[in-house]
């Protein structure tokens, strides 16, 4: 029987308090995150990770001391394997975390030990960014080359409008919307992780793809005269980040006395940005500014429709000739000004 390895790209997260600082070091030493030459980037990463470790440990303490992102990713992996039982192949999913274990180097070795006939690289980032999918793909290429892993490989670069992803989001939002509607006309806030504005100005397609997802979900919801906005969270440092900021949108909703339905639109797994930032910090802010009702939509996680959507992506990839960015399974979605679109290499 043919063997298919599916490599799930994700961010990763520290699994205990002692892992927080090395996790942050790995994050900030990534050239896709801090674009400085070495050894300056390594020095900055060391300083920033040390300075931020204590605060970050406090954040992870609110989640029991570590991130749930790996258990969630493993649950998605098992659900995806089950959904692909009809593929006619021995399918195994492997998590490749960018900044904490299992790191990409180890995952590449695990995939090689499986001896697959084909590989599908599947990011758990629906919208492409050079800082997420792009960074993970580069790390995979280096790791695979280092161990001589030469297996026909297909790569799904993004799926911001994939029907399973969109339908799962719409389903989860609709349930919270009904709850919020008892408190007035709800405002749906689609919150995504932010990026420094200079990254987007340089041609990164992330913001454009986030907006694509939001528009498609709104269409799927089919709610007449829906009040909604896209906003961005988790900004750090002195740089200007893309907006509007989620905090500002929460304050605007408070001024308008609008119930909030807050949906994480770029996260498919629960982690610190959802369980702490959205569930605790932004909920407190909403209460402070007079928002009459605050509902946080869960991530799509193992929602059956989302998993079915991922399975559809894998099936489509498996049916194509092996290649790189050029066989991502879709025409180019990104506007022309997005020069860092993954399909630019096609």
């Amino acid at each position: 029987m043919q063997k298919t390895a599916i490599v799930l790209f994700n961010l990763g997260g520290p699994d205990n308090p002692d892992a927080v600082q090395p996790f942050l070091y790995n994050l900030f030493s990534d050239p896709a995150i801090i674009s400085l030459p070495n050894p300056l980037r390594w020095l900055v990463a060391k300083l920033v990770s040390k300075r931020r470790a204590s605060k970050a440990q406090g954040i992870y303490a609110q989640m029991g001391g570590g991130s749930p992102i790996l258990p969630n990713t493993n649950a998605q992996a098992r659900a995806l394997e089950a959904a692909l039982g009809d593929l006619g192949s021995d399918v195994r999913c492997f998590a490749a975390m960018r900044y904490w274990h299992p790191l990409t180097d180890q995952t590449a070795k695990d995939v090689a030990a499986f001896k697959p006939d084909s590989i599908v690289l599947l990011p758990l980032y629906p919208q492409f960014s050079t800082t997420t999918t792009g960074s993970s793909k580069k790390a995979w290429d280096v790791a695979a080359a280092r161990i001589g892993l030469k297996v026909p490989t297909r790569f799904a670069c993004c799926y911001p409008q994939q029907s399973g992803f969109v339908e799962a989001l719409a389903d989860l939002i609709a349930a919270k919307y009904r709850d919020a509607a008892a408190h007035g006309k709800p405002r749906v806030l689609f919150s995504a992780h932010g990026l420094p504005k200079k990254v987007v100005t340089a041609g990164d397609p992330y913001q454009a793809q986030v907006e694509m997802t939001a528009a498609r979900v709104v269409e799927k919801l089919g709610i007449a005269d829906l009040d909604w906005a896209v906003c961005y969270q988790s900004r750090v440092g002195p740089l200007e980040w893309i907006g509007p900021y989620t905090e500002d949108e929460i304050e605007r909703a408070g001024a308008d006395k609008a119930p909030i339905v807050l949906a994480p639109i770029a996260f498919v797994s629960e982690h610190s940005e959802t369980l702490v930032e959205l569930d605790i910090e932004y909920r407190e802010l909403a209460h402070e500014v007079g928002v009459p009702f605050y509902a946080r939509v869960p991530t799509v996680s193992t929602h059956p429709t989302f998993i079915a959507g991922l399975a559809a992506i894998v099936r489509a990839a498996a049916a194509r000739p092996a290649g790189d960015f050029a066989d991502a399974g879709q025409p180019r979605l990104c506007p022309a000004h997005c020069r860092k679109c993954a399909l630019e290499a096609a």
Side-chain angles (χ1 to χ4, degrees):
M1 178 181 284
Q2 294 283 304
K3 290 184 175 182
T4 301
I6 303 168
V7 180
L8 302 176
F9 290 156
N10 211 336
L11 177 75
D15 47 16
N16 64 76
D18 291 339
V20 170
Q21 187 169 335
F23 164 78
L24 292 174
Y25 175 80
N26 291 342
L27 172 67
F28 291 114
S29 61
D30 182 353
I33 304 299
I34 294 182
S35 55
L36 294 173
N38 283 329
L40 183 58
R41 186 175 69 254
W42 292 337
L43 176 61
V44 169
K46 185 174 182 179
L47 292 173
V48 172
S49 61
K50 185 176 182 180
R51 187 176 72 243
R52 292 179 58 85
S54 178
K55 181 179 179 180
Q57 284 172 337
I59 291 172
Y60 286 105
Q62 297 179 76
M63 299 184 293
S67 171
I69 196 167
L70 179 57
N72 198 167
T73 301
N74 286 337
Q76 290 167 321
R78 303 293 81 79
L80 182 55
E81 288 171 351
L84 290 167
D86 62 343
L87 195 60
S89 176
D90 181 6
V91 176
R92 189 175 301 176
C93 293
F94 299 81
M97 298 299 188
R98 187 64 186 91
Y99 304 121
W100 200 240
H101 305 292
L103 293 166
T104 308
D105 282 344
Q106 181 59 52
T107 301
K109 294 175 184 176
D110 293 342
V111 169
F114 177 56
K115 300 185 184 304
D117 299 288
S118 65
I119 297 171
V120 176
L121 305 178
L122 179 60
L124 291 178
Y125 314 109
Q127 301 90 7
F128 179 85
S129 173
T130 55
T131 62
T132 53
T133 303
S135 176
S136 291
K137 176 62 165 56
K138 287 180 180 178
W140 174 263
D141 290 345
V142 170
R146 184 178 290 127
I147 62 172
L149 179 58
K150 297 179 180 179
V151 175
T153 300
R154 285 89 172 172
F155 171 56
C157 68
C158 57
Y159 43 97
Q161 298 174 311
Q162 205 281 329
S163 60
F165 172 53
V166 168
E167 289 173 19
L169 267 174
D171 180 56
L172 294 167
I173 291 168
K176 297 295 184 180
Y177 190 91
R178 288 190 292 270
D179 294 340
H183 302 267
K185 182 179 179 180
R187 179 171 298 160
V188 178
L189 298 182
F190 295 103
S191 187
H193 198 292
L195 279 181
K197 192 172 182 179
K198 69 174 187 177
V199 174
V200 173
T201 301
D204 192 289
Y206 174 74
Q207 185 174 22
Q209 291 200 5
V210 166
E211 292 170 358
M212 290 177 198
T213 301
R216 190 60 62 87
V217 172
V218 168
E219 179 183 341
K220 185 66 182 178
L221 283 168
I223 298 173
D225 194 28
L226 181 67
D227 183 2
W228 64 280
V230 176
C231 47
Y232 297 89
Q233 64 182 89
S234 310
R235 71 186 190 276
V236 294
L239 294 175
E240 180 181 2
W241 285 52
I242 56 176
Y245 301 145
T246 303
E247 304 98 302
D248 293 344
E249 284 299 313
I250 291 172
E251 291 178 2
R252 184 169 72 91
D256 294 342
K257 300 302 177 185
I260 287 176
V261 177
L262 199 152
I265 197 173
F267 303 127
V268 302
S269 308
E270 303 291 353
H271 54 308
S272 63
E273 281 85 354
T274 60
L275 297 175
V276 176
E277 195 168 7
L278 298 186
D279 283 354
I280 299 175
E281 296 173 1
Y282 287 168
R283 187 181 297 275
E284 290 175 354
L285 174 61
H287 177 74
E288 291 170 4
V289 301
V291 171
F293 184 82
Y294 180 93
R296 202 272 282 185
V297 177
T299 59
V300 291
S301 188
T302 55
H303 190 293
T305 309
F306 173 59
I307 297 299
L310 293 182
I313 293 170
V314 172
R315 288 191 187 97
R320 297 191 303 271
D324 199 349
F325 288 102
D327 80 330
Q330 60 189 31
R332 176 178 168 130
L333 298 173
C334 305
H337 70 271
C338 297
R339 301 181 303 279
K340 298 296 181 69
C341 172
L343 296 181
E344 279 290 295

